[in-house]
Amino acid sequence: MNAALLTHVELTFVEKKIEHWIRFGRAAHEQRIDRRRRILYFQPGTIFAFVRWASNDFGTVISRIDIVRAVARGEAYQTLPFVRPGGDILLKIDSWPKVERVLQVIDAIERLGIDPEAVSPDHWRHVHNRMTAGHEPRAHTLDQHRAFLLRQRTKS
């Protein structure tokens, strides 16, 4: 494994202050820095959900979820805090009520028996666009997932 070719995501956990975690996505490697910090490494093409929450003495200062596709060397990408070099951001949502709604969408996909990492990037863009516009995203279905998998096979 050449770590320079992978996407690095720095995770931090300081109880009641900072929580960065991965909701879904298979890391190729993990490096533990200390008891509060670690780095996960993702292969190009891997889709993962990165959740960030932080608070101060006055309450929550950030609640955010990003669904990101790890990029290959030389591929265009968007920058994102704690993600190196960055990634193809499929969804970015701020504020806890909206973040919670995205987590519910992920849960619903898992209840169908589908790994959220295997869902079409277009579905995550759809969820982002609908929620940004203040609308409810359409539910992902098994038929949509099967159609996406068939399209992927014909491209190979």
Side-chain angles (χ1 to χ4, degrees):
M1 172 198 70
N2 183 350
L5 301 177
L6 303 178
T7 298
H8 309 180
V9 181
E10 185 177 330
L11 304 180
T12 304
F13 182 83
V14 178
E15 191 170 354
K16 298 181 182 177
K17 290 288 180 192
I18 301 171
E19 296 180 17
H20 297 173
W21 76 92
I22 297 296
R23 173 57 182 83
F24 68 79
R26 280 184 284 273
H29 180 67
E30 177 180 339
Q31 175 187 2
R32 200 164 282 283
I33 298 170
D34 55 38
R35 65 183 202 85
R36 294 182 174 179
R37 295 179 304 141
R38 59 193 174 116
I39 300 173
L40 296 184
Y41 298 85
F42 292 93
Q43 296 277 354
T46 302
I47 295 176
F48 60 92
F50 180 37
V51 182
R52 291 184 282 149
W53 175 88
S55 71
N56 61 20
D57 294 340
F58 303 103
T60 298
V61 293
I62 185 172
S63 292
R64 180 168 173 154
I65 185 167
D66 296 282
I67 298 181
V68 181
R69 185 182 61 80
V71 295
R73 177 178 256 161
E75 195 175 350
Y77 61 87
Q78 296 131 318
T79 60
L80 182 64
F82 309 103
V83 178
R84 304 291 178 265
D88 179 13
I89 301 173
L90 307 174
L91 173 147
K92 61 179 179 178
I93 296 293
D94 289 305
S95 88
W96 181 248
K98 290 180 179 181
V99 169
E100 188 174 35
R101 182 62 192 114
V102 172
L103 294 171
Q104 291 167 354
V105 168
I106 294 167
D107 290 343
I109 288 169
E110 289 176 331
R111 279 194 299 277
L112 292 173
I114 299 170
D115 180 352
E117 181 182 337
V119 169
S120 166
D122 289 337
H123 180 70
W124 297 121
R125 289 182 185 105
H126 158 78
V127 173
H128 167 85
N129 291 334
R130 295 285 295 188
M131 291 187 69
T132 299
H135 297 286
E136 185 65 20
R138 290 186 296 276
H140 193 60
T141 67
L142 282 172
D143 286 341
Q144 288 172 318
H145 187 64
R146 287 184 192 116
F148 169 67
L149 295 176
L150 286 171
R151 283 192 309 272
Q152 292 301 102
R153 276 191 226 139
T154 60
K155 288 180 182 178
S156 306

